Amino acid sequence: QVQLADSGGGLVQAGGPLRLFCTVAIPTAAIGTFSTLAVAWFRQAPGKDREFVVAKTWSGTTLYSGSVKGRFTISRDNARNTVSLQMNTLRSDDTAVYYCAAGQYRGTMYDTPSAYIYWGQGTQVTVSS
């Protein structure tokens, strides 16, 4: 069973940076399969639906939501089975619980939660204005 652990959240002032991390544990029998997974970050603010932030497909294509494009950067390290999200110029409306997600999705709707079957537990990001 693939397991995701996300971390790095915290309280930051508006305009500041923050970096989130996601460690992906792969079963021994499936070692080497991390590079075949699509990975993504979603977020969920209180009272709102889970929102797509960014995805990186197994082939390396990166997709950003319009609200974070130019401010956030996703990266993955296939040797270390990790994904990170560098967030710059944070705004108060970036406040949310951020979730790392992964799956062997091969379609076109990488911005939908149903494309991913593995999820981290979430890490809180609070941006103070």
Side-chain angles (χ1 to χ4, degrees):
Q1 177 77 359
V2 175
Q3 294 184 322
L4 277 59
D6 32 36
S7 61
L11 175 64
V12 61
Q13 287 191 330
L18 196 65
R19 192 176 183 94
L20 304 183
F21 301 90
C22 178
T23 301
V24 183
I26 305 288
T28 302
I31 289 294
T33 61
F34 175 73
S35 63
T36 68
L37 298 176
V39 294
W41 289 93
F42 287 77
R43 66 187 181 186
Q44 189 165 18
K48 294 189 176 181
D49 293 335
R50 192 160 296 191
E51 176 191 22
F52 170 73
V53 177
V54 59
K56 185 175 277 290
T57 71
W58 69 277
S59 62
T61 301
T62 304
L63 306 165
Y64 289 97
S65 73
S67 63
V68 307
K69 194 170 186 179
R71 301 188 298 123
F72 291 12
T73 303
I74 187 173
S75 58
R76 65 187 296 167
D77 185 333
N78 288 339
R80 291 182 169 82
N81 292 359
T82 59
V83 184
S84 63
L85 180 65
Q86 178 66 43
M87 305 185 292
N88 296 325
T89 320
L90 282 161
R91 310 184 308 218
S92 57
D93 60 356
D94 293 318
T95 295
V97 177
Y98 283 70
Y99 297 89
C100 179
Q104 293 181 318
Y105 185 67
R106 294 292 185 268
T108 59
M109 300 178 70
Y110 286 94
D111 58 346
T112 57
S114 59
Y116 306 92
I117 60 173
Y118 307 114
W119 290 84
Q121 79 282 4
T123 185
Q124 175 71 47
V125 172
T126 304
V127 183
S128 63
S129 57

